[in-house]
Amino acid sequence: MMNSMILPGATIGMIGGGQLGRMFVIAAKYLGYKVIVLEPGNDSPAGQVADEQLVAAYDDPQALAEFSRRCDVITTEFENIPASVLDDLSQSCLVHPSAEALGKTQDRIVEKDFISSCGLLPVPYGVIRTRSDVETAIEAIEFPAILKTARFGYDGKGQITVNNPDEVVAAFQSHQSAECVLEQRIDLHCEISVVIARNAHGETETFPISENIHRDGILFQSIVPARVDEDIARSAIVAAEHIARKLEYVGVLAVEFFVTRQGQLLVNEIAPRTHNSGHYTIDACITSQFEQQVRTVCNLPFGATTLLSPVVMTNLLGDLWGESRPDWTKVFDSSASKLHLYGKDAAKPGRKMGHYCTLADSAKAAEAEAISIFKGLNAS
Ligand code: ADP
Ligand code: MG
């Protein structure tokens, strides 16, 4: 069963209704699959385009029973579902990725241990479970540092910059004493990421490395090809392959890296899913990260990941909306730019509403064009 292909016409289950799920559904529909989304929120970005949405909590036993009965394979777009849910589903249905793989990436403490066990370097850190851990944690780092909750953080949420021991204590208390990691703040040369697919035969295929520009802890732009040395690029790919292999991962995963000013490569975090920094693959690669997820979970051969053009992806956050919606003609007037909106109604600050990709002869030209569009978007 494990090695047979799940062919078009079959039904894929997607746990999670966000934009990553939406773009997965669109890719699956192109290939002729049916998709059922499991998501508690009504009218979700993924549910809008799927064949059906089961509106239920991720751990609703009745919904899960129906879900596994009706799906040929189940995958996810979201790491914060209880790993036990994947475990239970896997008793009666094919599920990729596994509960074990998810479990290693949901908690920053477990994740950093795992990164070290791969022989890779996590960002220097200390663990704070109770107030009495603060002193030991401080010894592991140099200030300034960032206190991050071990679980449920995303887009920079749950992170507080701290400059001295007193601020660590205050930040820990303001996190309601939830388990935390105290991370040294790295003097960054740049950030890069690798999106990688691994199949049930243990083969891997990576996408071109993306260089990621963040603003306020949220991805702003991804630039491809990334402007990094070849040996850094090679090390990042080897690291991603190693991580995927050690997780016995099946599906698509992303590894975020920091490149320090001294030229060291540190693993920031692992996302057991497609990734915002891989959105460029829809418009600029032979195969998108979402089609690759369909292919790997259905046990089809990989699609080629070749980059067809330099590209810059720019995120559209809710902040841009203000009084009126952004002026989309600025994107449409750029004939080699592609607009993607996620079907979300409420535009809140920091909420990912969409993105656009700008293709050009060079990454530099794409970046200039993307920035010029961006400046026009909320100029009205
Ligand atoms: P999230 O789960 O929110 O993506 P990250 O740990 O990746 O959390 O942090 C988001 C961004 O904040 C990073 O991509 C980076 O730009 C910045 N950041 C986080 N931790 C550090 C650090 N230790 N040193 C420097 N920058 C950091
Ligand atoms: Mg991150």
Side-chain angles (χ1 to χ4, degrees):
M1 174 172 160
M2 181 152 159
N3 287 331
S4 61
M5 291 192 210
I6 297 165
L7 292 168
T11 301
I12 307 176
M14 167 51 75
I15 307 177
Q19 64 269 13
L20 301 174
R22 179 186 179 91
M23 291 181 268
F24 174 88
V25 172
I26 292 169
K29 295 310 293 175
Y30 264 113
L31 290 172
Y33 289 90
K34 296 193 179 68
V35 187
I36 303 177
V37 167
L38 175 69
E39 156 68 38
N42 236 322
D43 191 37
S44 68
Q48 288 167 16
V49 294
D51 292 272
E52 208 178 312
Q53 180 181 325
L54 298 181
V55 182
Y58 302 126
D59 57 358
D60 178 318
Q62 250 180 327
L64 289 171
E66 180 185 348
F67 194 50
S68 76
R69 193 173 61 244
R70 294 178 57 197
C71 295
D72 296 291
V73 60
I74 292 170
T75 186
T76 176
E77 57 124 36
F78 183 52
E79 62 268 46
N80 288 328
I81 45 177
S84 59
V85 164
L86 296 192
D87 223 0
D88 292 348
L89 285 170
S90 70
Q91 306 299 314
S92 52
C93 189
L94 209 53
V95 180
H96 298 305
S98 69
E100 295 76 46
L102 201 74
K104 290 216 165 56
T105 57
Q106 285 178 320
D107 180 302
R108 292 187 194 273
I109 302 170
V110 178
E111 183 176 59
K112 283 175 185 296
D113 268 347
F114 171 72
I115 291 164
S116 304
S117 80
C118 294
L120 301 166
L121 294 174
V123 178
Y125 73 106
V127 172
I128 304 181
R129 291 196 170 90
T130 67
R131 213 191 130 143
S132 61
D133 294 329
V134 169
E135 227 160 275
T136 349
I138 284 168
E139 283 165 20
I141 57 105
E142 280 168 32
F143 286 108
I146 305 174
L147 190 75
K148 303 183 178 181
T149 50
R151 297 177 72 91
F152 305 123
Y154 68 98
D155 289 344
K157 291 185 176 60
Q159 304 194 6
I160 301 174
T161 297
V162 287
N163 296 291
N164 56 53
D166 289 343
E167 288 184 14
V168 177
V169 173
F172 182 61
Q173 281 163 350
S174 78
H175 281 330
Q176 269 86 47
S177 302
E179 288 191 346
C180 286
V181 294
L182 180 65
E183 243 184 56
Q184 184 160 329
R185 195 168 81 200
I186 302 299
D187 198 7
L188 296 171
H189 170 64
C190 68
E191 294 186 56
I192 58 174
S193 56
V194 175
V195 175
I196 183 167
R198 185 174 178 278
N199 65 21
H201 311 289
E203 296 154 338
T204 56
E205 185 76 54
T206 52
F207 284 95
I209 293 178
S210 157
E211 177 183 341
N212 304 319
I213 316 283
H214 288 79
R215 288 187 177 175
D216 301 325
I218 306 180
L219 184 64
F220 171 57
Q221 285 184 318
S222 288
I223 301 172
V224 188
R227 296 161 296 189
V228 282
D229 292 348
E230 261 194 33
D231 44 334
I232 290 278
R234 213 171 307 116
S235 304
I237 288 170
V238 170
E241 288 169 346
H242 195 94
I243 287 168
R245 193 176 336 117
K246 273 213 67 167
L247 289 173
E248 297 182 46
Y249 199 87
V250 176
V252 171
L253 80 83
V255 185
E256 299 177 10
F257 297 93
F258 292 158
V259 182
T260 70
R261 290 220 182 265
Q262 292 74 37
Q264 205 176 29
L265 186 70
L266 305 176
V267 178
N268 172 27
E269 57 175 354
I270 303 166
R273 49 169 171 78
T274 51
H275 196 261
N276 195 168
S277 69
H279 291 357
Y280 79 87
T281 58
I282 297 178
D283 297 311
C285 289
I286 291 181
T287 307
S288 75
Q289 60 171 347
F290 302 101
E291 180 180 336
Q292 201 76 304
Q293 185 180 7
V294 175
R295 284 169 170 261
T296 40
V297 303
C298 291
N299 205 26
L300 309 181
F302 292 129
T305 54
T306 318
L307 187 70
L308 299 171
S309 162
V311 58
V312 170
M313 188 276 331
T314 307
N315 265 341
L316 296 164
L317 300 183
D319 312 54
L320 278 171
W321 266 242
E323 295 289 290
S324 58
R325 113 173 25 120
D327 179 5
W328 301 133
T329 60
K330 295 294 185 298
V331 191
F332 295 136
D333 283 342
S334 165
S335 65
S337 289
K338 301 293 218 175
L339 180 65
H340 300 251
L341 292 172
Y342 307 148
K344 297 180 185 179
D345 269 342
K348 289 181 224 140
R351 189 171 197 211
K352 289 173 177 168
M353 303 296 288
H355 71 269
Y356 59 95
C357 284
T358 305
L359 281 65
D361 292 339
S362 68
K364 199 170 172 203
E367 199 186 6
E369 174 79 357
I371 290 292
S372 144
I373 294 168
F374 192 78
K375 286 186 176 151
L377 281 176
N378 59 355
S380 51

